[in-house]
Amino acid sequence: MAAPAQPKKIVAPTVSQMNAEFVTQLACKYWAPHIKKKSPFDIKVIEEIYEKEIVKSRFAIRKIMLLEFSQYLENYLWMNYSPEVSSKAYLMSICCMVNEKFRENVPAWETFKKKPDHFPFFFKCILRAALAETDGEFSLHEQTVLLLFLDHCFNSLEVDLIRSQVQQLISLPMWMGLQPARLELELKKTPKLRKFWNLIKKNDEKMDPEAREQAYQERRFLSQLIQKFISVLKSVPLSEPVTMDKVHYCERFIELMIDLEALLPTRRWFNTILDDSHLLVHCYLSNLVHREEDGHLFSQLLDMLKFYTGFEINDQTGNALTENEMTTIHYDRITSLQRAAFAHFPELYDFALSNVAEVDTRESLVKFFGPLSSNTLHQVASYLCLLPTLPKNEETSLDKEFLLELLVSRHERRISQIQQLNQMPLYPTEKIIWDENIVPTEYYSGEGCLALPKLNLQFLTLHDYLLRNFNLFRLESTYEIRQDIEDSVSRMKPWQSEYGGVVFGGWARMAQPIVAFTVVEVAKPNIGENWPTRVRADVTINLNVRDHIKDEWEGLRKHDVCFLITVRPTKPYGTKFDRRRPFIEQIGLVYVRGCEIQGMLDDKGRVIEDGPEPRPNLRGESRTFRVFLDPNQYQQDMTNTIQNGAEDVYETFNIIMRRKPKENNFKAVLETIRNLMNTDCVVPDWLHDIILGYGDPSSAHYSKMPNQIATLDFNDTFLSIEHLKVSFPGHNVKVTVDDPALQIPPFRITFPVRSGKGKKRKDADREDEDTEEAKTLIVEPHVIPNRGPYPYNQPKRNTIQFTHTQIEAIRAGMQPGLTMVVGPPGTGKTDVAVQIISNIYHNFPEQRTLIVTHSNQALNQLFEKIMALDIDERHLLRLGHGEEELETEKDFSRYGRVNYVLARRIELLEEVKRLQKSLGVPGDASYTCETAGYFFLYQVMSRWEEYISRVRSKSDASSGVVEISTLFPFHEYFANAPRPIFKGRSYEEDMEIAEGCFRHIKKIFTQLEEFRASELLRSGLDRSKYLLVKEAKIIAMTCTHAALKRHDLVKLGFKYDNILMEEAAQILEIETFIPLLLQNPQDGFSRLKRWIMIGDHHQLPPVIKNMAFQKYSNMEQSLFTRFVRVGVPTVDLDAQGRARASLCNLYNWRYKNLGNLPHVQLLPEFRTASAGLLYDFQLINVEDFQGVGESEPNPYFYQNLGEAEYVVALFMYMCLLGYPADKISILTTYNGQKHLIRDIINRRCGSNPLIGRPNKVTTVDRFQGQQNDYILLSLVRTRAVGHLRDVRRLVVAMSRARLGLYIFARVSLFQNCFELTPAFSQLTARPLHLHIIPTEPFPTNRKNGERPSHEVQIIKNMPQMANYVYNMYMHLIQTTHHYHQTLLQLPPAMVEEGEEVQSQETELETEEEANPCQADIPSLTDTSSSQESLASQTETSDSQTESTPSQPGASPGAEAIPAPTAEAAGAAGPASEPAEADALPSAAPAAEETAQPS
């Protein structure tokens, strides 16, 4: 297998290169945004740029990138476009810019929306250009650019401007392009269409000739484009050299066809045109398909197109076709062919009279039609309306091969989609793993097209939806598998031994050589299948490795996936492995097959089962694993061996590789998707169309749901009646009681439910009444029944004053339907989610709610807040592995809940025992839940009923009050409650207290009744299943867990009514969809009533590691984002309470009117300034350090030493002023920089008690969903903006800080970026040098924005700051040292006291060492702690801290005192060069401004 050439990486130009470029000089003259005096518009500039920069460089991405980045499209091209100046260069320049925007994944149509007048003219010019002759004005390369532009247009139908132009190309009138006989046939099939067709004809007659000609051209555009493509395709020779322009044109054209076929609005009429043009037949017979190298991608794209042309869907109605309907269509085609043959072609009698199954294979069709002449074949095709009729006595111009293929491919039997899927192996093999067209390398530039499905707004059917996601998920995991295989196998260094075998020169933690491999079982196939039901094998390896690695191998669990690999190296012993060259030929890799662990075998050869029992200790090093192989793959390999004489793959394996368990769940997810496609997956009717992207996007909003609920109990949502009134602005609130003292929460609210949508209103008065009524809310306060006399009986209450948008979100979440809540940073998404859960729990106690989040951390935050509300904890359950991280003493996992139930049962039975004793009843009522139930029925209930009848009969209120207390039967039981139980003030109050006491008793017995099952079920597993299926009302899990365990949950009969998803915009499309289907439908309908999604699509999307899937396939689009794009109504939370208002301004431009909660202006912490720093946020410009800006030791592993040192210096400065270290986090946009900063922190701060470590050093992406008071951010890049250009990443970066944000970056680079302008214009309005106030300690009394009373110093660069911090530190050490010296010279009497002081100080110091995060600067330190001893202390502690594993270049023993020497700066991370020794003076002040801190 030839290894593909490694694609070249596109190197982004540096700022200095940009400034030197001709384009940049022109930009500065004509259109750059920061230039005030611009030269007037000149069309020659556009011509010159197009010819010199774009065409001359053959459309080099680097040039186009520069132009697009300089805002050429926004500020010059489109701004000045009009029909008068339109030219070829102008059109092409605009197309290049739009294509580049799509390649970069930034919004492309915004500019056109702002100035839409000339767009229709521009679009018509594009259509004309796309049909121009290839040897004419437009070259093939240029027309390929135009095709790509058209493809982007067809994929942007959600943009009104684009849709209005594109619709004319793909509506019913395009059938003008069909041949007349075919048109007649199609109109006969669907009678309704004939009416429309006649209407179209009538309208055409009314048009004036010019407009009609224009309309006809548009309608025929796609038919003519197809004909043009066929002529280009036919010009490709079979073996002579061919220009790549032709190949790229053909590939892009097929991509356009696939995209048109894969969207229902475009497919509806176009599919018939495509079929009538016989494009597929032309392509499959073309020379390009048979060219091995050049035609490989073209063939793959062609297979995709073939798949979509025959997709199982009715084009007109958009309904999915069942297996039976597909068979019927196939049979109709064959029988119509047989009828034509019988009537007109006597030579085909045999064919006409055979049964269908005998003649519908390719072989038999070729046998019958092969002998016929070309003319006869043409006549047969024309009878079927496939070709125009052949005039008499004329020869056909089409060749026989084409005519035969046309008839055969149309009538041969198709294998059904689901069958194809079921026969597909789930594990990738070496053929897929290293195929660049399917799994591109990380260096995918976005230039070429790929044979990958795309996720856009709409899907044809649920099957199509699942299939595209299935393929992409499979390939994305294949990419990760490839990285793992290349890493592990190259570490093992396989070389050829002297005797031709394999010898391993290295070792790998995740891979081991195989000692023996045998297939031990091949089970018989199921009926109707041709692959075995299961295939098992034994793999033996020798674990002569370190103990912890041995434990990892022995810890392989059931269902873990491993890979079996065959290598046959050709390189002799000792050859060096070169990572830049293709992997396969160096290593000699031949086969890769996946397998799934069943278990390890014990001494007797039995599988060791997973379970609570300890595992047996096995002797020796040899271990054997029993594994399941993929039956489909096994069957394919064996067929290949038997039929083609290929070697048996399963005799050759010599390496087994495992993967990290967290990243290794792809097979379970793929199986889940495949199972979903095989079951009749029932999505609720109200969701079906929205998921596919059709129909009215607001149809699932609660206001349009037929089962809307009129009255809802809002429980503790409102804090007062005033809060309620403010929460519904524009509504009249009618309270059922007039006494203000009684208008206290909780409230029940009755909303006006609009019904009878279609009725016409009779008169205007009624309409006014209606709107009045529609605005009136009826509010009824109600009292929660007393729950008992103990303090813990009082329900927990919500204390948050929700805003009116949060209330709207809560209301929507309580109503049936789909609720989408967009929650910008700090707007209380989790609080809203928890309140919705609580309200559903109280309003619908019989319903069960499923909570799904993206991360365990979000689930934990949610749980911690749920526990603070009035929800009985026996109804909470948490599934998955994250429950260990919950910061509570309580365990909400399955077994934790089982233990809770058992412990609670014992507690409650003790209470029953006490009650029995207090009532003086003999016997053992508290033996089991069952006996307790009888005791309640016969002893407790009877006493209560007797009591009630006696008390109620007393009509005289005054004597009744006394009787309530004297007759109460449970006085002795409640003796331990706060006294007195009865207040004796009024009959009603005391009666309510008595009933509360009884409710307390009754609850004990209801709970025991629920716990009875745990007495009957004996095993922990059964008890946990019972909890999951019956007891729990609120079940939480991550989306990954849902995908992994769907099969088990469905099998258990898991049921739920509501789903709430947090972080919905961070969850992959398919992982959002699977949780909807974790239960079997009831009577063919889904039980699901509510689906609440809470997320923020303006923050980061799901993580997709491979750029090609992320950009080309749009796999990073979450379902939440897609719904927002489709237009599903959302509730946008609009008040944030996290950050200072000034910091919020850096990102609130991205949201619809995001404001601040009042406390952000009022609380002292937001009003006081950041101590020691002049500004609350600042952008600090960092120039090259020692001539180096960003560096890239490994692909995408970016580092910037100057910025890293500067960030750490500011962190140390803040800590020395007294900031708690745990209130500061350091963020960066790249992993490489994160490791570098961690390294520098280890060296500079170590465990130094005067400084401490920051709360976190991590990447922006990892820190999403978290926050801290002060954020120091390093943007790393100095050549190109990189992935911060994604505004979503910018929003996350800007919104993590509460009180202070300090950004280190190359300002000249970032301020030019169009997408980042709103934030960077605010940042650059402040000075770009760091302004510090070193004499102002933390905390300060200065108000934010006030001029400081202390002196402000300006730091010009990093060396100066490093120096400054060093001097400050030394000064601190010396003053404390001096203080101790004076203590030692005191008179004897005072020394004793001094010693006492001293010992306290030593204690204080050790305490701080133990807890360095909170170490403020101590005023005293140990007497002996001079600079040297502190240095050695921190040095040792630094050597103990572990160096980051991916940082090989960490030199030991660097001082932890922040001495800003160049050596120290250079000693961190692999990227840094060994620096010049004299680059930084070790302690001399760097500039005049540096004053000693006093």
Side-chain angles (χ1 to χ4, degrees), residues 734-747:
K734 275 190 187 170
V735 188
T736 51
V737 290
D738 300 329
D739 179 2
L742 295 176
Q743 296 183 354
I744 52 169
F747 300 112

Side-chain angles (χ1 to χ4, degrees), residues 1402-1415:
T1402 324
E1403 242 175 78
L1404 189 143
E1405 185 182 325
T1406 50
E1407 227 172 84
E1408 271 168 21
E1409 271 179 43
N1411 191 1
C1413 328
Q1414 290 164 6

Side-chain angles (χ1 to χ4, degrees), residues 154 333 369 608 1363:
F154 281 115
R333 279 187 175 176
F369 288 92
I608 303 169
N1363 242 331

Side-chain angles (χ1 to χ4, degrees), residues 554-627:
E554 290 183 343
L556 282 174
R557 290 209 296 250
K558 193 173 183 176
H559 301 310
D560 279 351
V561 171
C562 291
F563 284 88
L564 304 164
I565 301 167
T566 303
V567 289
R568 292 195 185 127
T570 50
K571 302 281 189 289
Y573 196 93
T575 313
K576 213 169 181 332
F577 180 71
D578 180 2
R579 283 188 182 279
R580 281 167 303 206
R581 289 205 14 256
F583 169 79
I584 285 190
E585 55 193 49
Q586 288 190 74
I587 290 293
L589 186 137
V590 195
Y591 303 117
V592 175
R593 295 290 180 270
C595 64
E596 185 180 312
I597 300 282
Q598 184 186 354
M600 197 163 65
L601 303 186
D602 61 15
D603 318 343
K604 302 194 175 73
R606 288 178 306 210
V607 174
I608 303 169
E609 292 296 335
D610 281 345
E613 299 79 40
R615 301 192 133 210
N617 280 329
L618 301 178
R619 296 203 194 110
E621 314 276 280
S622 180
R623 298 285 179 273
T624 302
F625 293 94
R626 176 77 40 89
V627 299

